[in-house]
Amino acid sequence: MFDDTVGRVLGPGAGVSASGAGLVRRRRRRWVRGVALGVGVVALGALGAGWAVYAKLDGNITPDDAAAAELARYEKERPTALVKGAQNILLIGSDSRSGDGNAEYGRDSGTERSDTTILLHLAADRRSATAVSLPRDLMVDVPGCLRPDGTRTEPMFAMFNYAFQVGGSGCTIRTVEKLTNVRIDHHMVVDFHGFKDMVDAVDGVEVCLTAPIRDKAAKLRLPAGKVTLDGEQALGYVRARKSLGNGSDTDRMDRQQRFLGALVNKVQSDDVLFNPVKLYPVLDAATSSLTTDPDLASLRGLYELVRGVRDIPTEHVQFLTVPRESYIYNANRDQLVEPEAEKLFARIRTDATVAVAGEVPEVPRDSGANTIIPAAGSGATPAPTFRGNTAAEDGCG
């Protein structure tokens, strides 16, 4: 049945005459096609922009194929992962002076050592994360490793950061696995430039200074109290050694841990991981100077990792230094405190609970050593407590 309202609008002969409904319908179809085309172009543009962003970030990451090959060669010697789902990631801060912006921190000698090395353990249930600093001056057994020139070194008892100098991340991973018997699942290497850019990408990180800092070498002039450090200041703060604290490497590692805790807190409190506008510059900075194992050398790999840890409460992100003391033959070197160190490594291997506390009695043999004390409770064996801090702690408290 013909609609009278439509008839009045279209008039007689609608649908036949070029001046009637046929013309209206053709115009309407052209308009719909035009809108659809416009929407398609916008969608393709957005998709193209999204792909361009993805491709850029994905291409920023350098896969560490040399380390993968070295580890595959010695696969039979490597520890076995004991707990499904738990992850152990070795974070290596390179002191290389090569690359953009790094020359100002010293002459490029053509070699590099691990300025900072952290063993990060992610619990299988992703409810906690424990970061253990490994002193660069720790005396360890370094296995024979492949040099960049293709030759191989002889096994040697040497300072821990010697491993990175002669054999890069592959040699460092093998040294850590030999020391701890903990299977390393992934690794990341970042240089000075990447660290600075990361801090600047989150608009600086707030720390609390108990005293003013005047350090010409580190280019630091800061007041006491709460201070927001930019990338350049943050790098000087975590690397300074002789002029801050007691001048020891242990004090420097404690400072690095507190700073990393503040960085984690900043990222979580600003909701960076859930805000694309905030997340992009962080990802760009993080990936631009990042070298990882091939499995992590993509945005997909990094996303899978981050997705599992972004909801860990800051009070469950813990930092500590492996129990250490002065090396018996050289006070300027370190050695592990046993059996405390092995107890820590055993708990990481088995994904057992580790607790940290700011006030833990020191081992009498050396003021820099971390001591395990029994936690409160009865019945089951209590979780050991190590001297350390969490990302939720405020250094001004």
Side-chain angles (χ1 to χ4, degrees):
M1 182 175 178
F2 182 74
D3 188 306
D4 183 58
T5 303
V6 173
R8 289 197 303 270
V9 172
L10 297 181
V16 177
S17 170
S19 61
L23 179 59
V24 172
R25 283 196 296 269
R26 284 196 293 274
R27 287 175 176 170
R28 183 181 294 121
R29 284 196 296 267
R30 285 198 297 270
W31 181 82
V32 170
R33 285 197 300 268
V35 171
L37 180 60
V39 171
V41 168
V42 171
L44 286 173
L47 181 61
W51 174 251
V53 168
Y54 179 90
K56 180 183 185 302
L57 295 177
D58 198 59
N60 282 348
I61 309 169
T62 302
D64 198 346
D65 296 322
E70 178 78 348
L71 295 175
R73 178 187 178 99
Y74 292 96
E75 177 59 38
K76 292 182 180 180
E77 299 178 7
R78 301 184 65 196
T80 300
L82 300 181
V83 180
K84 183 178 181 181
Q87 293 276 293
N88 297 302
I89 305 164
L90 200 65
L91 309 177
I92 303 172
S94 166
D95 70 356
S96 172
R97 268 65 172 179
S98 63
D100 293 341
N102 291 334
E104 61 188 279
Y105 302 104
R107 181 177 59 86
D108 180 14
S109 64
T111 63
E112 55 182 329
R113 295 196 182 191
S114 49
D115 194 60
T116 300
T117 304
I118 294 174
L119 173 57
L120 175 63
H121 175 75
L122 305 178
D125 61 9
R126 295 301 188 270
R127 293 181 180 177
S128 68
T130 302
V132 181
S133 295
L134 300 173
R136 61 183 184 180
D137 295 339
L138 190 66
M139 299 301 295
V140 298
D141 289 311
V142 179
C145 295
L146 182 67
R147 289 192 179 99
D149 64 6
T151 62
R152 285 199 169 270
T153 65
E154 293 296 325
M156 181 181 296
F157 186 66
M159 285 171 51
F160 172 63
N161 65 353
Y162 173 76
F164 192 76
Q165 179 188 7
V166 297
S169 50
C171 189
T172 301
I173 292 168
R174 292 180 58 213
T175 300
V176 171
E177 290 186 338
K178 185 178 181 67
L179 178 72
T180 66
N181 203 28
V182 172
R183 172 81 176 205
I184 302 300
D185 302 294
H186 300 291
H187 70 276
M188 301 180 185
V189 182
V190 64
D191 65 18
F192 295 161
H193 189 67
F195 176 83
K196 290 191 303 180
D197 286 352
M198 268 286 294
V199 175
D200 286 334
V202 297
D203 296 324
V205 174
E206 186 180 77
V207 297
C208 188
L209 306 178
T210 56
I213 295 178
R214 301 289 186 269
D215 190 309
K216 185 177 180 180
K219 302 178 182 179
L220 289 179
R221 188 178 180 86
L222 303 169
K226 289 187 176 182
V227 180
T228 298
L229 304 180
D230 63 22
E232 188 72 37
Q233 293 169 325
L235 182 61
Y237 177 73
V238 300
R239 295 194 68 241
R241 178 173 177 174
K242 295 182 179 179
S243 62
L244 297 183
N246 60 17
S248 70
D249 201 40
T250 298
D251 188 76
R252 188 177 72 113
M253 286 185 291
D254 287 346
R255 193 164 59 252
Q256 290 172 350
Q257 292 164 7
R258 289 193 297 272
F259 180 84
L260 290 175
L263 176 60
V264 170
N265 208 3
K266 176 67 178 288
V267 169
Q268 287 204 3
S269 63
D270 275 16
D271 210 18
V272 171
L273 298 178
F274 299 93
N275 186 329
V277 175
K278 293 182 179 180
L279 182 59
Y280 173 77
V282 176
L283 286 176
D284 190 35
T287 57
S288 292
S289 300
L290 197 63
T291 299
T292 77
D293 57 280
D295 287 344
L296 282 187
S298 68
L299 279 186
R300 181 180 181 85
L302 288 177
Y303 172 74
E304 291 298 326
L305 178 66
V306 172
R307 184 178 65 174
V309 303
R310 65 186 181 186
D311 294 327
I312 297 177
T314 53
E315 61 268 23
H316 293 162
V317 179
Q318 305 174 131
F319 298 89
L320 66 145
T321 299
V322 64
R324 42 74 55 201
E325 62 185 359
S326 293
Y327 180 45
I328 188 172
Y329 298 114
N330 187 339
N332 294 319
R333 302 291 180 262
D334 292 329
Q335 66 184 26
L336 296 180
V337 173
E338 297 294 3
E340 286 83 357
E342 173 50 32
K343 290 178 180 178
L344 171 63
F345 299 147
R347 297 191 77 83
I348 290 176
R349 286 194 295 270
T350 58
D351 198 32
T353 302
V354 173
V356 298
E359 297 297 330
V360 177
E362 300 287 359
V363 173
R365 291 171 293 177
D366 185 276
S367 61
N370 289 357
T371 308
I372 298 177
I373 60 174
S378 58
T381 303
T385 301
F386 294 83
R387 184 172 63 84
N389 63 281
T390 72
E393 294 176 29
D394 184 345
C396 289

